[in-house]
Amino acid sequence: MKFFIDTGNLAQIKEANELGILDGVTTNPSLMAKEGIKGEEAIAAHYKAICDLVDGDISAEVLSTEFSAMVEEGKKLAAIHPNIVVKVPMIKDGIKAIKWFTDNGIRTNCTLVFSAGQAILAAKAGATYVSPFIGRIDDSGWDGMELIGQMRHIYDIQGFKTEILAASIRNALHIIKAAEAGADVCTCPLDSILGLLKHPLTDIGLAKFLEDAKKM
Ligand code: G3P
């Protein structure tokens, strides 16, 4: 399973990248706004800065919701760096735009996916990645992980090549469960990635080893 970090924060991206286990970055308009990035030039410069930090796929989301505007915006985003993946919302014009990008050699990440039907459409349009929002499904009283399992099953029996990118990850258990369910990629906040490190017996064991090392 590939590991992406889900943030627009350069310091967090750098910290995760220094672990040596990072395969890419996902952003969205909310995450970019959180970093105070405003205006077309600043947005492009920020994506370029992320691409310079991480040698992996970097999702940059279109802000338009109409087909022609999405295509124009996506072309500009893709021109920033070869590692840019154009993130497109799961709407009717979004599916048309994903098909256009697929036919024109631009890689895509279909975002805001909450059902198997949406996942089938994204795959049919040729999306490189599809992003089911696990945490938000859980928030609404359903089981986000069930959707990952269902998508894995459908994609496998149908031979769809689209990669399942588990998004809206909220904790370390989500990452473990997404791996178990067969997600190809997990995009996570830094805290959730670091959460995988934690176990009290590791801390207790290390303290004892360091104490005993003084007797060596
Ligand atoms: O990037 C999309 C997704 O990961 C958002 O997560 O926590 O806002 O539901 P969240």
Side-chain angles (χ1 to χ4, degrees), residues 153-192:
H153 176 66
I154 292 170
Y155 281 14
D156 285 350
I157 61 169
Q158 295 297 335
F160 288 134
K161 298 290 174 239
T162 299
E163 292 189 49
I164 300 171
L165 193 168
S168 187
I169 294 290
R170 302 281 170 75
N171 52 56
L173 187 60
H174 270 158
I175 302 175
I176 296 163
K177 291 285 177 192
E180 273 182 345
D184 298 291
V185 192
C186 212
T187 190
C188 327
L190 181 61
D191 282 356
S192 303

Side-chain angles (χ1 to χ4, degrees), residues 6 26-28 31 61 87 111 133 135-136 139 167-170 187:
D6 194 28
T26 53
T27 60
N28 64 38
L31 295 171
E61 189 158 341
K87 206 170 177 187
T111 189
F133 276 30
R136 293 191 197 184
D139 291 346
S168 187
I169 294 290
R170 302 281 170 75
T187 190

Side-chain angles (χ1 to χ4, degrees), residues 72-94:
E72 285 316 305
E73 212 186 321
K75 283 196 287 190
K76 281 186 197 165
L77 290 171
I80 295 172
H81 193 281
N83 288 350
I84 291 282
V85 174
V86 179
K87 206 170 177 187
V88 180
M90 166 45 73
I91 55 176
K92 195 173 169 188
D93 279 40

Side-chain angles (χ1 to χ4, degrees), residues 86-103:
V86 179
K87 206 170 177 187
V88 180
M90 166 45 73
I91 55 176
K92 195 173 169 188
D93 279 40
I95 288 298
K96 284 164 67 178
I98 288 169
K99 181 68 174 78
W100 189 94
F101 290 129
T102 304
D103 292 344

